[in-house]
Amino acid sequence: MYLSCCVWALTAPQDELLSDMRSLGFKRIDIRPDFLDPEDLQALKDSPPLSVSSVAASYGVPEGAALESSNAGARQRAVAHVEEVVRQCAALGGSVAYLVPGEDDSPTTLNCYADSLAEAADKAAAHEVRLCIEHFPGTALPTAADALDFINAISHPNLGLLFDIGHVQISGEDPAEVINAAGEKLDYVHLDDNDGHGDLHWALLDGVLTADALRETFRALQDIGYAGAVSLELSPQLDDPYNALERSRQIAIDCGSGYLHEY
């Protein structure tokens, strides 16, 4: 396992943001589409180097395009967007692209979404990038269990789960149980905290998350053989986002001691 960080936790211009990530001690980052072009790889390679872990493919979707749409053209435009994000991810050395479900949980809409995901997962596999679904309260897949059931029903070898510990605090699920249930389908992890009700993206241990629960999460990840990223995803609206990231990074290192191999 290795530690990463979502760059949108800070709001500085690109060059300053990369410098801030280095100053905080991060070696890996998560980005959104078009944050960096392949031509800008030198900005990542500057000493000390940064590497891209994942790209959030739900951002930058063209107007009117949607993977879950009943309109075939709208679905194809959305699949094309995912393919372009995956291509960018691969060019930047990333290994995961992930998506957030829409809000419509009707069977017809979910069937359209499943068909689009299978096609997008095929295209991602061609670039050696894993495609993941993030369980998200308030969407068609509000719990990790819902997302896993959906993923298992599609049964595509290149489609997995992004586990967000803050989201299971809202849905009331046990992190270790979710991780064990996901097994080899678990492809990415987000770490953040909240009050158990809102998706607030607080610093670790500033809300309902406890150090014991975080240690148990790392232990469960180790038990299933997870070797990917655990990425801090904090809000840029916090009173002191830089300090929140600095504290959260150290908490993750302390609670993940013996499990994290790069941080």
Side-chain angles (χ1 to χ4, degrees):
M1 273 179 280
Y2 59 88
L3 191 61
S4 189
C5 182
C6 298
V7 296
W8 50 90
L10 300 174
T11 56
Q14 178 181 301
D15 56 344
E16 292 179 26
L17 197 154
L18 292 177
S19 178
D20 286 342
M21 288 287 136
R22 292 185 176 96
S23 296
L24 285 161
F26 290 104
K27 300 176 182 178
R28 308 269 193 148
I29 55 174
D30 295 6
I31 65 171
R32 290 172 176 168
D34 301 326
F35 174 75
L36 284 174
D37 291 322
E39 293 77 12
D40 297 324
L41 279 172
Q42 189 59 47
L44 291 176
K45 294 176 181 176
D46 288 344
S47 182
L50 289 169
S51 300
V52 170
S53 297
S54 74
V55 182
S58 288
Y59 291 89
V61 179
E63 185 176 355
L67 293 173
E68 68 273 23
S69 175
S70 59
N71 180 278
R75 291 198 304 276
Q76 284 304 306
R77 289 193 296 276
V79 169
H81 166 75
V82 174
E83 184 175 19
E84 180 55 35
V85 170
V86 164
R87 187 180 293 112
Q88 179 192 42
C89 182
L92 293 170
S95 60
V96 171
Y98 63 91
L99 297 157
V100 174
E103 296 181 2
D104 187 347
D105 63 355
S106 67
T108 299
T109 298
L110 287 175
N111 284 338
C112 289
Y113 190 43
D115 289 345
S116 298
L117 285 171
E119 183 178 355
D122 275 338
K123 296 182 182 300
H127 294 279
E128 299 183 343
V129 171
R130 293 284 298 173
L131 190 63
C132 298
I133 302 172
E134 181 177 8
H135 58 103
F136 208 111
T139 70
L141 302 173
T143 70
D146 290 331
L148 273 173
D149 285 346
F150 188 68
I151 291 164
N152 288 331
I154 297 171
S155 191
H156 192 288
N158 197 46
L159 184 65
L161 177 75
L162 185 155
F163 166 76
D164 188 306
I165 198 169
H167 292 172
V168 298
Q169 290 173 176
I170 298 170
S171 60
E173 296 169 283
D174 180 85
E177 289 182 3
V178 169
I179 290 165
N180 286 318
E184 63 182 12
K185 290 288 187 181
L186 181 58
D187 288 320
Y188 215 75
V189 175
H190 278 169
L191 297 180
D192 54 275
D193 203 354
N194 55 52
D195 60 0
H197 302 286
D199 192 27
L200 302 170
H201 294 278
W202 287 346
L204 301 184
L205 309 189
D206 277 5
V208 298
L209 180 66
T210 66
D212 284 344
L214 189 54
R215 281 190 287 267
E216 285 296 320
T217 297
F218 277 110
R219 186 176 296 114
L221 290 169
Q222 179 77 7
D223 286 345
I224 66 166
Y226 180 73
V230 287
S231 184
L232 294 173
E233 187 186 20
L234 305 191
S235 170
Q237 305 305 317
L238 299 176
D239 289 340
D240 189 343
Y242 193 99
N243 175 264
L245 278 177
E246 189 172 39
R247 289 189 291 112
S248 295
R249 178 178 181 273
Q250 190 57 55
I251 289 166
I253 291 170
D254 291 343
C255 290
S257 178
Y259 305 119
L260 284 172
H261 303 298
E262 180 186 315
Y263 45 81

